[in-house]
Amino acid sequence: MKMIRKSILCAMFPLSMVAGSVHAQGIGRSGTYLMPQDYQMMMDKLTPEQRTQAINIQQKMMQMEMDHQEAMSQMEIKHEHEMMQMQNQLLDLFKGH
C-alpha cells in the first residue's frame, strides 16, 4: 500500500509541475496558486527575513498539497477495494443461479 501511494505521489508531483507551467500566473484551473514567472526577481527584492518567510510559506503549501494528494490516493484505494469486495459479493450471489 505504502509503495503504491509513494509511487502515485512521485508520479503526480512532476505532472503537476508540468501542468502548472502551462497556466498563466496566478490561480490555476485547479484553484491552486501558481508561482509567477518572475519569481526569482521578486525574491531578490525581499529582505532576508521576508525571504525566509516566503520560503516557509512555500514549504507549507507544498506539504499541504502532498498531504492532500496522499489523502486522495488513500481514499481512491479504499474505494477500489470496497468496490471489488461488493462485486465479489454480487458474483457469489449470482453463482448459484
Side-chain angles (χ1 to χ4, degrees):
M1 284 276 192
K2 287 184 181 181
M3 187 170 166
I4 293 170
R5 187 173 43 213
K6 285 181 183 179
S7 63
I8 290 171
L9 286 175
C10 289
M12 291 300 286
F13 186 71
L15 181 63
S16 65
M17 296 302 281
V18 169
S21 65
V22 175
H23 300 297
Q25 92 183 33
I27 304 298
R29 277 189 211 150
S30 63
T32 58
Y33 177 76
L34 302 173
M35 282 191 237
Q37 292 177 351
D38 55 352
Y39 171 76
Q40 190 58 43
M41 287 179 19
M42 292 170 61
M43 284 293 280
D44 291 341
K45 293 179 182 179
L46 297 176
T47 65
E49 182 180 306
Q50 290 173 326
R51 194 173 302 138
T52 301
Q53 287 177 340
I55 291 170
N56 287 339
I57 292 169
Q58 290 170 346
Q59 287 174 344
K60 287 178 185 176
M61 288 171 65
M62 285 178 56
Q63 183 62 44
M64 218 173 159
E65 183 64 27
M66 287 174 57
D67 291 345
H68 173 72
Q69 292 295 331
E70 182 178 349
M72 293 297 291
S73 297
Q74 287 177 353
M75 190 171 21
E76 287 176 6
I77 290 169
K78 181 180 175 187
H79 171 76
E80 290 295 323
H81 180 70
E82 290 176 0
M83 289 296 286
M84 285 188 344
Q85 283 182 334
M86 286 187 275
Q87 287 175 349
N88 285 337
Q89 289 173 354
L90 275 176
L91 287 174
D92 289 342
L93 184 67
F94 290 123
K95 272 185 185 176
H97 299 279

